[in-house]
Amino acid sequence: MTTAQARMPRSTPPAQPTEADKQLLQFAQGVELSARDLYKKAVESGKFADAELAMLQMFGEHHNSYAQAFNGL
């Protein structure tokens, strides 16, 4: 721990994600990308009506957005 870190209140978050944070973020991003890919496969399967396809595509886009948000962290 550096002197600057010792002077910060315990409630102050680190300036950068810790290694543990990075591992968790990578895992969460992987989960979101996997969910996106599953929705894409469902859309491509041809087993759903148009209304269902629109919903599946929307859910896939949401998971892609979540993955991008994790990437930004």
Side-chain angles (χ1 to χ4, degrees):
M1 179 179 294
T2 67
T3 305
Q5 288 174 327
R7 286 183 279 167
M8 288 192 293
R10 290 194 181 269
S11 61
T12 304
Q16 296 291 321
T18 64
E19 283 304 312
D21 292 337
K22 289 177 185 177
Q23 290 177 3
L24 183 59
L25 288 167
Q26 286 177 333
F27 173 77
Q29 184 182 32
V31 168
E32 294 299 338
L33 291 172
S34 295
R36 176 206 60 192
D37 292 347
L38 287 172
Y39 279 108
K40 184 177 178 183
K41 289 285 186 190
V43 168
E44 293 171 351
S45 73
K47 296 181 180 183
F48 298 95
D50 289 343
E52 294 167 324
L53 286 175
M55 184 180 64
L56 292 171
Q57 288 171 330
M58 179 183 66
F59 288 163
E61 290 168 7
H62 289 170
H63 284 287
N64 191 53
S65 295
Y66 301 145
Q68 290 173 347
F70 284 127
N71 190 52
L73 296 174

